């Protein structure tokens, strides 16, 4: 009888992709102890794959910094009457393809919360991506110039939630506005969108350079979206070394 070493098992395991029939066969003929051992191994394998997937999603999300919902200070946030912290952190809005607009003063936690929600989605195995408005527009323009815009839009569409940060902080030219509109319109009722901005809706036309385009974007976001308002002193100013 050949002695099976630990290395033999590792090498064989790397080549295996277990089928249902094999699992049934070996589970049925094993002893209770052997079944317990096999079950433990399969659980460990599943968790290892899930952990690897979560890490891949976090890397693909391109977060500016890894943030968590744990310990987030909501004192600056005003929620809608029918929506609160528990509903937000449950991430149910993602499965419903609902949108969020985080609107308010600079430095009050909008980017932090958007980053934390994207990270939380990744940890639940949900494909997600974080962009600044300027980086998204630049990426789309480059893709169009190189003749691969459709492929770029398809890659973006693989995510179940997108965060578009700093909307309205920098002007967008006509072509950039149209490309941004395409991303938002394509995701309508298919995936969730988080937009952080310090501009009220009435000023979005100045960003797109077209009031009709802005109205079309607002119409889609408001339909399945909620507005979270941020008010207060900038965290960075409050904790600045330079006084």
């Amino acid at each position: 009888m050949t002695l099976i070493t630990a290395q033999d098992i590792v090498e064989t395991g790397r080549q295996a992709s277990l089928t249902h029939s094999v699992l049934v066969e070996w589970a049925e003929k094993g002893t209770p102890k052997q079944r317990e051992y096999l079950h433990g191994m399969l659980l460990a394998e599943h968790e290892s794959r899930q952990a690897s997937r979560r890490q891949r999603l976090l890397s693909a999300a391109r977060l500016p910094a890894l943030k968590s919902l744990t310990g987030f200070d909501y004192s600056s946030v005003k929620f809608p009457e029918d929506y609160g912290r528990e509903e937000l952190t449950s991430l149910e809005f993602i499965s419903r393809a609902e949108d969020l607009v985080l609107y308010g003063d600079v430095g009050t936690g909008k980017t932090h919360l958007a980053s934390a929600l994207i990270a939380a989605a990744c940890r639940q195995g949900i494909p997600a991506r974080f962009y600044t408005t300027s980086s998204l527009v630049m990426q789309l323009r480059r893709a169009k110039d190189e003749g691969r815009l459709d492929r770029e839009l398809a890659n973006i569409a693989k995510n179940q939630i997108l965060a578009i940060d700093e909307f309205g902080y920098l002007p967008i030219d006509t072509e950039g506005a149209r490309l941004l509109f395409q991303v938002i319109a394509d995701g309508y009722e298919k995936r969730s969108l988080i937009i952080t901005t310090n501009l009220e809706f009435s000023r979005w036309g100045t960003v797109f350079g077209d009031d009709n385009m802005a109205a079309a974007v607002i119409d889609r976001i408001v339909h399945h979206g909620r507005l979270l308002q941020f008010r207060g002193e900038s965290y960075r100013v409050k904790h600045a070394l330079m006084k």
Side-chain angles (χ1 to χ4, degrees):
M1 180 176 178
T2 304
L3 179 65
I4 303 298
T5 67
Q7 185 61 32
D8 292 330
I9 294 173
V10 169
E11 291 178 0
T12 303
R14 285 177 175 170
Q15 301 171 24
S17 179
L18 300 178
T19 63
H20 178 75
S21 59
V22 169
L23 287 170
V24 169
E25 177 186 353
W26 283 80
E28 287 179 346
K29 71 182 182 181
T31 66
K33 279 292 184 183
Q34 288 171 334
R35 290 195 196 101
E36 181 181 350
Y37 185 85
L38 178 60
H39 184 251
M41 183 199 73
L42 293 173
L43 282 177
E45 172 65 13
H46 175 72
E47 179 52 39
S48 176
R49 291 189 181 194
Q50 291 299 103
S52 296
R53 172 175 167 78
R54 290 192 292 269
Q55 190 55 52
R56 286 196 304 272
L57 290 174
L58 280 169
S59 297
R62 304 288 180 88
L63 291 164
L66 188 58
K67 301 291 185 181
S68 172
L69 293 170
T70 303
F72 180 79
D73 182 4
Y74 291 90
S75 61
S76 298
V77 186
K78 180 182 178 183
F79 286 90
E81 289 185 4
D82 62 341
Y83 196 76
R85 178 175 170 180
E86 289 185 5
E87 288 82 3
L88 177 70
T89 57
S90 71
L91 303 184
E92 288 183 2
F93 71 95
I94 301 176
S95 62
R96 297 172 182 167
E98 295 174 349
D99 302 322
L100 298 172
V101 175
L102 312 186
Y103 158 71
D105 300 328
V106 172
T108 49
K110 300 186 299 296
T111 298
H112 183 141
L113 183 56
S115 299
L117 288 168
I118 293 295
C122 293
R123 292 188 179 103
Q124 289 194 18
I126 300 171
R129 186 69 160 84
F130 184 99
Y131 295 95
T132 62
T133 305
S134 59
S135 68
L136 175 56
V137 169
M138 189 182 305
Q139 186 169 316
L140 292 168
R141 184 182 286 112
R142 186 183 304 118
K144 183 180 180 181
D145 292 343
E146 296 173 359
R148 52 180 181 83
L149 180 59
D150 288 344
R151 188 163 72 249
E152 188 68 39
L153 291 171
N155 286 333
I156 292 173
K158 292 176 182 178
N159 297 287
Q160 288 180 244
I161 178 170
L162 301 177
I164 302 179
D165 192 36
E166 298 180 345
F167 177 81
Y169 284 47
L170 294 172
I172 304 174
D173 63 18
T174 302
E175 182 186 38
R178 289 173 179 166
L179 291 169
L180 181 59
F181 174 81
Q182 189 168 351
V183 169
I184 296 173
D186 287 350
Y188 176 59
E189 296 188 326
K190 297 176 186 175
R191 66 190 66 88
S192 290
L193 178 67
I194 301 173
I195 292 181
T196 76
T197 183
N198 61 355
L199 292 182
E200 61 270 23
F201 286 138
S202 62
R203 296 175 60 195
W204 282 27
T206 62
V207 179
F208 286 99
D210 184 318
D211 289 339
N212 290 329
M213 192 184 299
V217 167
I218 293 168
D219 183 65
R220 286 165 169 78
I221 293 173
V222 169
H223 185 205
H224 296 301
R226 291 182 172 84
L227 177 68
L228 276 60
Q229 299 184 59
F230 289 67
R231 290 287 181 259
E233 183 183 0
S234 166
Y235 176 88
R236 289 180 287 272
V237 171
K238 188 187 301 183
H239 297 86
L241 295 177
M242 188 181 296
K243 300 294 185 180

